[in-house]
Amino acid sequence: MSSTLAGILFIASLLLALALCYKPLGDYMYRVYTGTRHLAVERVIYRLVGVKPDSEQSWGVYARSVLAFSALSLLFLYALQRLQSHLFLSLGMAPVEPALAWNTAVSFVTNTNWQAYSGESTMGHVVQTAGLAVQNFVSAAVGVAVAIALVRGFARKKSDTLGNFWVDLVRGTLRILLPIAFVAAVLLVAGGAIQTFADHSAWTTLTGGEQTFTPAAAASQEAIKDLGTNGGGIFNANSAHPFENPTSWTNLLEIFLLTVIASCMPRTFGRMVGDNRQGYAIVSVMAIIAIISMVVTNWSELSANGTVPQAIGQAMEGRESRFGVSNSGLFATATTLTSTGAVDSFHDSYTAVGGGMLIFNMLLGEVAPGGVGSGLYGMLVLAVITVFVAGLMVGRTPEYLGKKIGAREIKLASAYFLVMPVLVLVGTGLAMATSNGRTAMLNSGPHGLSEVLYAYTSASNNNGSAFAGLSVNTPFFNTTLGLCMLFGRFVPIVLVLALAGSLAGQGPVPASAGTLPTYRPQFVGMLVGVTVILVALTFLPALALGPLAEGLL
């Protein structure tokens, strides 16, 4: 079987699996977030934290709850790392250096899981499990909660509430992430992944590097890492490590886990707004962008541009031999289109076009299908901008799902879109303008710029993957990338919740002959165009100096 045919079959298998899950998982999540019954374990949690589960919150209270929970999580995780040497099962690990502890705490609380260290030689069991693994669940659940709050903003009429953050957080963790992660962990164990707290003679599991052995529950951490689109872990080789990702079919399972929840959330959206066609339109936009990216990335890698790659038949540098080029390319596409950050190959080894496509995936805002929750709310913000553009073209006040998109709504949507470009471009420019940034680059010229651009793009989009070739465990990068992760996560969340509150307070606008149907193919095409064009206009100069210039050399 040729590499091209194998790649096509691999992609087709993934798309079929996602299509089969779209309706049942989407409907299940709809029931989770619209049901009124609280499980017994949930009622215990609410009593412990002093939450009234049947009360609802305005958008401001909802936002403050998100920020308060995340701030406490950040402080706890930072303290856990700094006090590591005094903890049970620390395995003799020293306290994590302050700048790195700050960067890591911000990274996991923001669902980025950027790692500037080798996990198995830096973190003991308690930090890995009670700190990092817990954030793998709850930071993902925060993203889903915010997305659901925005959907309620579209669905509700003249309401001043968006639900209860604490209820959404607990339900997302206990009813969605934990059960799926448990099943996925069992499948990964069946495929050969390690699940043990054995002695120091075994390696652990998820991303890391050297030979300070800290065995941990590899399969379960891998499952939630992929499911929660986190990407962090224990082994520096990440999902290329055989203890973490042993076979080709576990590789496919991990890609499936990266994308399944985000791909099914449009169904939940459609059910909650009372029109499944709206969900199909959003998932169609996600699918079109994702398929184009998969094709471009795999084509660029299989065509193996360059004298040496052409001589050997394909570019295998930086790829795990048991996966090959096509499977590695699909994993790279999935991890950069979502907010995962897990890798099974080194993106630094990709061709100029392939590496540039991976950067472009993140610059899109990771909306195809995007992170858990963040992909949906990012795409809905782009839909608001699209209907505004369409309204300008026909001279009508724009409407979306029966809500007018007025000055307040478009200002919030525009501010949301601008946050990430500001962080990426300012961060990259600062790094390239200072010796602290330039001396960390392994390569000079366009490829070196691509390494830096990738790092700030990954951090600002809460992705977490790295291009490699950049020494980021320095005070400069730990601080600046940490700030990009922090602002790139919570400023957009506050803007999304403000938008949701504004929409929820509106009364319904009856559809008329001039209303743009937002479920038809023309709207799908327009939303794809707006998404791509906005990014191209914003980042073309940076891309031209980096991967595009490298491709011309």
Side-chain angles (χ1 to χ4, degrees):
M1 183 183 297
S2 68
S3 298
T4 301
L5 179 58
I8 292 173
L9 293 176
F10 199 79
I11 293 173
S13 300
L14 174 65
L15 295 177
L16 177 61
L18 293 174
L20 291 174
C21 291
Y22 177 77
K23 185 175 180 179
L25 181 55
D27 288 348
Y28 172 72
M29 291 190 289
Y30 164 76
R31 292 191 295 272
V32 166
Y33 288 107
T34 58
T36 57
R37 178 174 172 268
H38 306 295
L39 302 179
V41 65
E42 294 171 350
R43 290 196 295 270
V44 171
I45 294 173
Y46 300 144
R47 283 197 294 269
L48 288 175
V49 298
V51 169
K52 297 179 180 178
D54 295 320
S55 64
E56 294 216 341
Q57 300 171 322
S58 66
W59 81 262
V61 176
Y62 201 105
R64 289 194 292 274
S65 299
V66 172
L67 296 178
F69 174 76
S70 300
L72 290 174
S73 298
L74 194 156
L75 292 173
F76 173 77
L77 188 50
Y78 178 83
L80 207 61
Q81 296 175 81
R82 295 291 294 139
L83 298 173
Q84 176 170 239
S85 61
H86 303 289
L87 299 176
F88 176 64
L89 292 177
S90 65
L91 304 176
M93 300 290 184
V96 180
E97 182 268 333
L100 180 59
W102 140 265
N103 182 279
T104 304
V106 171
S107 176
F108 279 79
V109 169
T110 59
N111 199 230
T112 308
N113 292 28
W114 171 274
Q115 291 180 286
Y117 59 91
S118 296
E120 77 274 31
S121 62
T122 308
M123 308 291 187
H125 288 332
V126 174
V127 176
Q128 291 280 9
T129 54
L132 307 186
V134 168
Q135 287 303 317
N136 282 346
F137 284 96
V138 297
S139 64
V142 167
V144 180
V146 173
I148 293 299
L150 178 59
V151 175
R152 291 189 185 119
F154 283 109
R156 295 184 175 185
K157 318 297 181 185
K158 295 185 177 180
S159 172
D160 59 356
T161 61
L162 296 175
N164 188 309
F165 166 73
W166 306 104
V167 172
D168 294 338
L169 174 70
V170 171
R171 288 188 177 187
T173 302
L174 297 185
R175 300 193 193 185
I176 299 173
L177 295 172
L178 269 171
I180 302 177
F182 178 83
V183 174
V186 172
L187 293 175
L188 287 170
V189 169
I194 306 300
Q195 175 74 15
T196 178
F197 269 117
D199 58 33
H200 285 196
S201 63
W203 274 358
T204 348
T205 75
L206 274 142
T207 59
E210 300 171 359
Q211 292 188 355
T212 301
F213 302 116
T214 60
S220 59
Q221 274 192 287
E222 176 63 18
I224 187 54
K225 178 196 79 172
D226 295 329
L227 186 63
T229 58
N230 300 121
I234 298 170
F235 287 127
N236 201 33
N238 210 274
S239 288
H241 200 290
F243 283 6
E244 176 182 339
N245 189 8
T247 66
S248 183
W249 78 262
T250 61
N251 194 54
L252 178 60
L253 174 61
E254 290 189 14
I255 298 172
F256 171 77
L257 292 173
L258 302 181
T259 54
V260 63
I261 292 180
S263 297
C264 296
M265 285 205 71
R267 172 72 180 187
T268 307
F269 160 68
R271 289 292 306 275
M272 291 183 70
V273 299
D275 188 351
N276 285 327
R277 297 174 300 177
Q278 302 294 338
Y280 286 121
I282 294 298
V283 79
S284 296
V285 175
M286 294 176 171
I288 291 170
I289 294 173
I291 291 172
I292 292 173
S293 177
M294 291 176 191
V295 170
V296 172
T297 302
N298 274 280
W299 166 81
S300 65
E301 299 308 301
L302 289 170
S303 62
N305 294 318
T307 304
V308 175
Q310 288 177 352
I312 65 173
Q314 55 184 355
M316 279 299 294
E317 178 193 312
R319 276 76 165 181
E320 174 52 52
S321 59
R322 67 185 184 278
F323 302 144
V325 174
S326 293
N327 292 4
S328 299
L330 179 57
F331 197 110
T333 302
T335 199
T336 51
L337 283 172
T338 62
S339 63
T340 308
V343 296
D344 70 354
S345 58
F346 282 109
H347 298 174
D348 194 47
S349 298
Y350 278 51
T351 62
V353 175
M357 191 70 231
L358 302 183
I359 297 174
F360 191 79
N361 289 342
M362 293 185 290
L363 294 176
L364 287 171
E366 295 176 341
V367 292
V372 175
S374 60
L376 178 62
Y377 67 66
M379 183 60 77
L380 291 178
V381 169
L382 288 168
V384 167
I385 294 175
T386 300
V387 296
F388 179 77
V389 172
L392 293 179
M393 294 172 65
V394 298
R396 283 182 53 89
T397 301
E399 305 163 10
Y400 186 49
L401 302 177
K403 300 295 179 74
K404 285 188 177 294
I405 307 302
R408 175 176 169 81
E409 288 76 24
I410 195 60
K411 287 177 182 177
L412 290 168
S414 299
Y416 174 97
F417 175 80
L418 291 173
V419 170
M420 183 266 292
V422 169
L423 294 173
V424 171
L425 297 176
V426 171
T428 302
L430 183 63
M432 296 303 296
T434 61
S435 59
N436 289 327
R438 294 193 302 272
T439 54
M441 295 163 50
L442 178 64
N443 299 279
S444 60
H447 196 79
L449 174 60
S450 295
E451 293 171 353
V452 177
L453 177 63
Y454 191 108
Y456 284 95
T457 301
S458 177
S460 302
N461 282 285
N462 303 128
N463 180 271
S465 66
F467 209 53
L470 188 67
S471 301
V472 293
N473 192 9
T474 66
F476 174 82
F477 279 107
N478 280 330
T479 301
T480 58
L481 291 174
L483 290 172
C484 285
M485 289 185 276
L486 196 66
F487 291 122
R489 174 71 163 180
F490 294 112
V491 173
I493 280 179
V494 171
L495 293 171
V496 164
L497 292 173
L499 176 61
S502 179
L503 293 169
Q506 294 186 26
V509 178
S512 65
T515 300
L516 173 67
T518 54
Y519 55 85
R520 292 182 179 174
Q522 55 264 47
F523 179 76
V524 171
M526 190 172 186
L527 182 50
V528 171
V530 168
T531 302
V532 174
I533 291 171
L534 283 177
V535 173
L537 292 175
T538 305
F539 292 104
L540 182 59
L543 293 171
L545 293 173
L548 295 180
E550 182 184 359
L552 297 175
L553 295 178

